[in-house]
Amino acid sequence: MSDIVIEKAREEDKADIFRLLKMANMHNIPSPEMPELTYENYYVAKVDGKVVGFCGYKILSKTEAKTELMVVDPVCRGLGIGYRLQEYRMRDMFARGIKTLTTNTDLPETIAWYKKNFGYQEVGALKKFHEFGDPNIDTWTTLQVDLDKWQKTQERGQT
Ligand SMILES: CC(C)(COP(=O)(O)OP(=O)(O)OC[C@H]1O[C@@H](n2cnc3c(N)ncnc32)[C@H](O)[C@@H]1OP(=O)(O)O)[C@@H](O)C(=O)NCCC(=O)NCCS
């Protein structure tokens, strides 16, 4: 596969981003689950100039942030694109002094992916306001990771 390039998302990427979000049933924006797309801390993954992944985050306080959205085109999954996007946003937040990162997610395989690859732990659950993501799952599993600890594992070359 050609190189994966991670870039800051721009307004011009909106149509591509919504095409991806629709594939994961995360396109109901604005809505109580996702009031707006701000483009402040959003990133796209491109392969051969084509947008194949998208993710973002939101700063909550000096030391806390939460991830916002994450989707990889189903035909491009399992190639490390999601890993690159997640690693990129975690590094970005760490560099900005964020210590505690929260992620709400629904699919069991995605929960396992975050735990295995990025050191997240389950800290709770949250009822969805309405359908968003998997229509068969009505609850978000809340995951958290300590970015200082994660950074140390990165320095040691572990995941
Ligand atoms: C979760 C999601 C973003 C992961 O994206 P992805 O690009 O498939 O992720 P990766 O390729 O980095 O990792 C997927 C698996 O493929 C493996 N993989 C990575 N590179 C690979 C390669 N070159 N060849 C084969 N497999 C590879 C990884 O080891 C990983 O396996 P693991 O789960 O056992 O660790 C994607 O599945 C998705 O969009 N899911 C639906 C929406 C969703 O749940 N979003 C999250 C909301 S919070």
Side-chain angles (χ1 to χ4, degrees), residues 71-145:
V71 59
V72 170
D73 189 325
V75 301
C76 299
R77 287 184 192 164
L79 302 173
I81 294 167
Y83 187 92
R84 287 282 306 278
L85 279 167
Q86 176 67 10
E87 186 184 44
Y88 197 99
R89 69 180 172 183
M90 287 174 86
R91 281 190 183 155
D92 212 35
M93 285 182 265
F94 177 77
R96 295 176 69 171
I98 300 302
K99 308 284 181 211
T100 307
L101 175 62
T102 301
T103 293
N104 287 310
T105 190
D106 56 1
L107 289 166
E109 59 268 34
T110 307
I111 295 166
W113 180 77
Y114 277 119
K115 287 181 178 173
K116 178 183 158 195
N117 295 299
F118 307 103
Y120 278 93
Q121 290 186 332
E122 255 176 71
V123 295
L126 209 58
K127 191 114 172 110
K128 290 182 185 175
F129 291 120
H130 51 78
E131 185 186 307
F132 201 88
D134 191 308
N136 300 312
I137 305 175
D138 66 1
T139 306
W140 297 116
T141 296
T142 304
L143 305 174
Q144 260 176 9
V145 57

Side-chain angles (χ1 to χ4, degrees), residues 39-91:
Y39 296 93
E40 243 171 73
N41 302 306
Y42 290 170
Y43 299 94
V44 287
K46 290 185 178 176
V47 172
D48 294 334
K50 189 175 185 294
V51 176
V52 294
F54 168 69
C55 76
Y57 68 85
K58 187 174 182 177
I59 301 284
L60 302 175
S61 75
K62 269 190 157 179
T63 58
E64 295 164 307
K66 67 167 188 168
T67 60
E68 281 191 336
L69 306 166
M70 162 68 88
V71 59
V72 170
D73 189 325
V75 301
C76 299
R77 287 184 192 164
L79 302 173
I81 294 167
Y83 187 92
R84 287 282 306 278
L85 279 167
Q86 176 67 10
E87 186 184 44
Y88 197 99
R89 69 180 172 183
M90 287 174 86
R91 281 190 183 155

